[in-house]
Amino acid sequence: NEKENKNNRSSRRPVRNFSPRTFEEKRCLEIAQYLEEPDMSFILYALKNYGLTRIENAYEKLKQAPAGTIQKKGAYFNSLLTIANESG
């Protein structure tokens, strides 16, 4: 388990230190900051697997939710990506 934790730590990409190389990575950084994510790994994985359009759509839906109704923005964002994946 300790070895697994070390592996996870080595692949982390802290939001505060992330330097985007493309427009897509820049948008992902902005969204990660809005979500208050400490790490870029999840959103970069989503970019690779879903593309920026789906990420942008989930982000817009998230922003439309009434203020104070979402406790964990990152988890809700992830569920929006998953729902979009299921509906095609």
Side-chain angles (χ1 to χ4, degrees), residues 15-76:
V15 169
R16 69 183 176 277
N17 298 333
F18 184 74
S19 297
R21 293 174 290 164
T22 64
F23 170 78
E24 289 82 4
E25 287 183 359
K26 183 177 186 297
R27 280 301 290 148
C28 286
L29 176 60
E30 293 166 358
I31 293 168
Q33 289 168 334
Y34 176 82
L35 297 173
E36 300 173 2
E37 287 289 321
D39 187 79
M40 288 295 295
S41 299
F42 163 73
I43 201 155
L44 293 175
Y45 174 82
L47 177 63
K48 180 181 174 186
N49 287 293
Y50 302 128
L52 186 61
T53 301
R54 185 177 295 170
I55 290 172
E56 292 274 10
N57 289 341
Y59 177 57
E60 289 304 317
K61 287 178 186 174
L62 174 69
K63 290 196 317 184
Q64 291 171 8
T69 59
I70 300 169
Q71 292 179 356
K72 296 180 179 179
K73 289 189 270 188
Y76 184 61

